[in-house]
Amino acid sequence: DHPFFDSAERDVEDPSYLCILILLFNAAASLVPIISLFPDVTLKHYAYLRDAMPSLVPPLPIEGASTKKPIDDLGSSNNSREYLETVLAHINDIFTIPTQERRVPLLKTAQDNLKRLGEIDPEMLGTANFLETFLAAQIQIEQLQSCTTSQHSRAPLKESLAQLVRNCLKLQHIFSGLTYGDMLLVKQICLRASALHLVLVVRDRSQSALGPCQMLLQTASDISNFLDEKQEFQPDALTTDLLNQLASIVDPKPGKVFREILPLVQKPSIVRMPPPNVSIKMCEANILEPCPQMSQDNVIKVTAGLIAALPFVAEIDNLQESQKNDMRIKIKYPDQHLHTVVPKLSDFKKIMTEQGAHETNVKLRTTILLSHSVWTEASSVEIMLCLSVRPGTDLELCKPAKILFAPKPVRRGI
């Protein structure tokens, strides 16, 4: 259309136009594909109205708009804090139950309550998820510990051990704002998990124990250095025994380490839950483009054998400066091949707010290249943001965004 025929931009303060926008935006919350039909000026008005009237305008996957949920009740944080303290007191009571069969189901119920608290109150998201992950590691250690007491017990699944290690890595790398006391508790439960991992791998005899042994020694060295620097903190009895036992081993080979720590690992010992710390923040991401809610409309067509460039935009909350080098974009193709993209540091931009640039909330804007191998059918490709915490281990920060990648056959000339 010629610019001469363009109508004037509507006044966003006009009540009739405002009501129409609110109606459309609420409809788009249930029918996301209609967002693609909105003109650019409507998307700009959405960003304004989302900040001005958060109670009337729902959150939509539109770039440039605020993704934060409003807090309507100022007293909700106090109520959440009281509820959190009640859940923690309940967990401490559950730990006194003598039998594991009765204790574990109750702990899993408390774990679900912590997870729901993080979903309900955004201000408690980091604290609730930290405690939920900590409790999940406790439950997994308790369940796996039964496999160490009998020679004839069934070896645990590799997935169970991998999930325990993943939870420990999440406690170490995903959360920020921890006190030194919280850090010590995290290091203690990671030491228990590493020792248990080594014992179970050696007993299983189906995989190499060299990696778990090195991880245990590294974890023990880390907590020893921490205790040397922070001498006002004292570890629990099991941690002290494990550190002393590992320090006394001259040649720390997996078999010898296994024999030395086995009696200690077989002793049931609970790491007390951390106190409620509302300053804990959780690193999480939100992919804005390609839109995760519009996977059916994200169709990338390309001539077979060529590559396609796809704009990628994401918001990352509570990302520490040192973690930018560890950020990865993972692309999962339908043939199960994984392609990892390392974004440049210049692709990270601080999010501007009314108070200025935010220190830990950043926007990642880059371009990723998609290709295909032997498959030529239109198939779904998943794109996700991860944090690479160690070689071969990535922690996902968000749900994957899906696009339909459709290679077209080459058109032959006449």
Side-chain angles (χ1 to χ4, degrees), residues 44-60:
K44 294 178 182 178
H45 289 169
Y46 169 79
Y48 166 73
L49 293 177
R50 175 61 184 156
D51 291 330
M53 304 177 179
S55 59
L56 298 177
V57 180
L60 296 177

Side-chain angles (χ1 to χ4, degrees), residues 77-278:
S77 59
N78 294 330
N79 296 334
S80 299
R81 177 68 180 265
E82 294 175 0
Y83 178 74
L84 180 61
E85 292 176 349
T86 302
V87 173
L88 291 179
H90 182 55
I91 292 174
N92 292 329
D93 293 338
I94 295 174
F95 281 141
T96 61
I97 298 177
T99 58
Q100 179 181 342
E101 291 76 11
R102 294 175 53 199
R103 189 165 57 239
V104 170
L106 295 175
L107 289 175
K108 288 186 176 180
T109 302
Q111 181 184 353
D112 294 337
N113 292 336
L114 290 172
K115 187 181 299 184
R116 279 196 292 268
L117 175 61
E119 296 172 353
I120 294 172
D121 190 349
E123 291 296 313
M124 300 293 290
L125 176 66
T127 305
N129 276 276
F130 171 74
L131 294 172
E132 186 267 331
T133 306
F134 193 94
L135 182 59
Q138 291 265 42
I139 296 173
Q140 289 169 330
I141 289 176
E142 186 166 359
Q143 291 177 322
L144 293 173
Q145 199 170 26
S146 60
C147 300
T148 66
T149 56
S150 174
Q151 289 286 350
H152 304 288
S153 58
R154 185 174 60 88
L157 296 175
K158 293 181 181 179
E159 290 77 8
S160 301
L161 290 173
Q163 185 61 40
L164 174 59
V165 173
R166 185 172 295 273
N167 281 334
C168 291
L169 292 174
K170 286 178 64 176
L171 290 172
Q172 292 174 297
H173 299 281
I174 294 295
F175 300 98
S176 57
L178 275 66
T179 64
Y180 288 130
D182 296 334
M183 293 180 186
L184 178 59
L185 293 175
V186 169
K187 293 178 185 298
Q188 288 184 152
I189 200 167
C190 290
L191 182 65
R192 279 169 166 76
S194 300
L196 181 63
H197 188 196
L198 174 63
V199 168
L200 293 176
V201 167
V202 171
R203 282 204 162 189
D204 187 27
R205 297 181 180 179
S206 64
Q207 52 185 318
S208 173
L210 188 59
C213 183
Q214 291 177 345
M215 185 173 67
L216 172 60
L217 296 176
Q218 183 179 355
T219 305
S221 175
D222 179 53
I223 192 172
S224 296
N225 294 334
F226 178 84
L227 292 173
D228 290 339
E229 295 176 2
K230 308 290 186 299
Q231 297 184 1
E232 65 272 18
F233 293 96
Q234 295 297 325
D236 57 20
L238 180 57
T239 301
T240 303
D241 293 340
L242 279 172
L243 292 178
N244 293 336
Q245 198 69 40
L246 291 172
S248 64
I249 301 176
V250 179
D251 186 16
K253 292 183 178 179
K256 190 171 184 179
V257 174
F258 163 77
R259 290 188 295 271
E260 294 292 336
I261 68 172
L262 180 60
L264 298 176
V265 173
Q266 290 176 336
K267 295 179 182 178
S269 177
I270 300 296
V271 180
R272 63 181 178 86
M273 291 292 293
N277 178 8
V278 295

Side-chain angles (χ1 to χ4, degrees), residues 334-367:
D335 55 1
Q336 302 305 311
H337 283 178
L338 280 175
H339 181 207
T340 302
V341 178
V342 182
K344 298 181 293 185
L345 291 179
S346 58
D347 294 335
F348 295 93
K349 303 294 182 183
K350 292 183 178 179
I351 296 179
M352 299 300 296
T353 62
E354 295 180 356
Q355 292 76 26
H358 203 286
E359 290 298 325
T360 58
N361 293 359
V362 299
K363 178 172 287 188
L364 172 61
R365 187 187 299 270
T366 185
T367 301

Side-chain angles (χ1 to χ4, degrees), residues 67 241 333 401:
T67 58
D241 293 340
Y333 290 101

